[in-house]
Amino acid sequence: MGEERENDLKKTSPPPMGNQQPGNRGNNNTPPNRQGGPSFDRLILFFLIGLAITMLLNNFIGRAFQDAAVKQISYSEFMDRAKEGKVQAVNIDETEGKIYIYPSDKDTDRGMVQAYYTGIIYSDTTLTEKMEEYGVELNAEIPTRTSSIMDTLVSWVIVPLIIFWFLSFIMRKASSGMPGMGGMGAMGKSRAKEYVAEGPKVTFKDVAGQDEAKESLMEIVDYLNKPEKYKEVGAKLPKGALLVGPPGTGKTLLAKAVAGEAGVPFFSLAGSDFVEMFVGMGASRVRDLFKQAEAKAPCIIFIDEIDAIGKSRDNQLGSNDEREQTLNQLLTEMDGFDDSKAVVVLAATNRPEVLDKALRRPGRFDRTISVTQPDKQGRIDILKVHCKKVKLDESVDLDAIALATSGASGADLANIVNEAALRAVRMGRRLISQEDLFESVEVIIAGQQRKNHIMSREEREIVAFHEIGHALVAAKQKNTQPIQKITIIPRTSGALGYTMQMPTEERFLMKKSEMLEELVTYLGGRAAEEVQFGSITTGASNDIEKATDLARKMVTMYGMSDEFGMMGLEIPGSQYMDGRPVKTCADETMVKADEIVRRVLEEAYQKAVHILTENKAILEKSATFLLEKETITGQEFMDFINEP
Ligand code: ADP
């Protein structure tokens, strides 16, 4: 369709020269630290952890000691001790009803005890005299054991230092790969999985359709196979290539195939694996990954979702230090690694527009390889690749499946074949039939059938008329696609029924007249409800959403309204994802555009009502038939239309 936009990736201007020297980057906080020892940030982190643990220990253990240091004794024992001169002072706490007794130096057998307590005996009125007699201070200040400098030193300096030393010892061991340090060991080390080409290795034969991408990658394969050939001439090959395309189009598969073709090791890691909660960890993972890769050269490093670390460093509210450090480290490594070692970094993203420009300057990811949604031939090829692994019967026609799956990615198609195989097994068959494949296309589009979803007769009737409304309007307008199937069996996606249209050929452009007819078809469901029952339901919400979206695009993006002519009012939000469109005009202009969209939709709706009113007899007959059968084929429906 008209979304075929010129690839503006190539137009990005090179970043300013000042930005290109490693070490010249203002915010490169990570000192080059190739030994993998703890960074300054980490040292501070450990010290703070040590201090926090010490505070906890002081608090808990101190309290435990305090509890152990106060011991209960009987009143008579208190008197005996006082008499023997073992008591220095007492404190009478009337609110608690306790007397606290502080031993004197004479009390040599007190051990850890700092004070005793006993209950107040109110009948003993001579307590005060007795205390004076024995030379015991009454209600004196509580003698506290003043903590010595040594104690303070031990609890606030030495203990944190020991904990700090212990933590950095563990980290050092961990990053040098101490056996048995599994959990912690994984922290600073790169988690790159080495993809070992065992069993059937992935080659370009397994990647169907992406011929342009394969061609660009062929050179890299050749370089990895015979680096000397390039060195002889003095040619330098790109160190990195960026695979750009929508999700599921085979970017990872292509990277694996490059490794498979060249017969070299393949290290793969996702961008998000680098960014962890520990500061400095991402950068150290990058270092480790490159160290591992250099040791295995020639090889391939594959970084999936590179946008997780490679997002532009400017234009952001609030920076993310950890991500920036990781990105800086990646740039430094790419600049720094030995040219003579054939290490190629491939990275994948579906949001190239957010990537930092520094990533794409020459010497880094300077090649951009577009991996696109497959066209019809591409889909046939992908289906063929995946069908090789399963058994098909002679009814299978992959052309028809490819035609019905316009817009599906390679991953969707792989999924469809697998679903069909599962269905064949469920049905007790050994071969996959065309019906299995079609059914699984529907499962991928609309979800599983919900056979036990019980609807009232009235609701089923409304759904039947609604679906026939779409089909009849589509069939009566000469330019719309023939109908494949109409069903009123609810699906797990929430659809209560649907009409499947079948394109006869792959389309890349759409005419304005066809788009207008498409709008009428979308609104045919709601129109049928009104024509038949005189009332409307919530069932049309999805149709309304799609119709509005299409009408809006016609007005704001495709220049198809008389009022705005060639003026574009919106641009697509993201090239490869379903981002919201971005407005490029004034708010008042948008208000006018909304009014035009409303008018276009209203006209389409009136046209649908008109078609259905004129063909009410066919509408009623075919809807009744659908209600009875639940699913009818396009041919059965066309028979009603062609009836004399
Ligand atoms: P991406 O990395 O672009 O998101 P993947 O490479 O992970 O997509 O693709 C997922 C799966 O989809 C692959 O493992 C493969 O089975 C299937 N697939 C995608 N594209 C193709 C293709 N062009 N040819 C064959 N299979 C494909």
Side-chain angles (χ1 to χ4, degrees), residues 178 205 238 343 357 439 460 465 467 509 581 583 620:
M178 186 162 100
K205 267 202 237 108
V343 178
K357 290 208 167 58
E439 179 57 33
R460 289 178 63 233
F465 275 90
E467 294 310 327
L509 287 173
K583 189 176 69 175
E620 278 174 8

Side-chain angles (χ1 to χ4, degrees), residues 454-466:
I454 298 164
M455 292 203 301
S456 67
R457 163 103 196 160
E458 190 193 352
E459 280 189 339
R460 289 178 63 233
E461 206 174 347
I462 295 173
V463 176
F465 275 90
H466 182 107

Side-chain angles (χ1 to χ4, degrees), residues 41-65:
D41 283 346
R42 223 181 297 169
L43 292 184
I44 292 182
L45 178 76
F46 290 167
F47 190 73
L48 290 178
I49 294 178
L51 208 61
I53 296 178
T54 313
M55 280 164 93
L56 277 176
L57 285 179
N58 275 342
N59 201 356
F60 282 118
I61 299 180
R63 199 169 293 168
F65 272 126

Side-chain angles (χ1 to χ4, degrees), residues 206-208 210 246-253 382 386 410-411 414:
D206 301 299
V207 192
Q210 305 292 353
T249 43
K251 298 182 291 294
T252 313
L253 196 66
I382 295 174
H386 290 280

Side-chain angles (χ1 to χ4, degrees), residues 259-277:
E261 289 282 334
V264 298
F266 175 81
F267 294 90
S268 104
L269 207 73
S272 52
D273 287 346
F274 288 114
V275 187
E276 287 274 340
M277 57 190 218

Side-chain angles (χ1 to χ4, degrees), residues 375-393:
D375 56 8
K376 186 182 158 212
Q377 190 53 46
R379 290 197 298 277
I380 294 177
D381 294 342
I382 295 174
L383 284 168
K384 275 187 190 153
V385 165
H386 290 280
C387 283
K388 259 191 220 142
K389 299 168 202 157
V390 294
K391 290 185 180 146
L392 307 174
D393 70 13

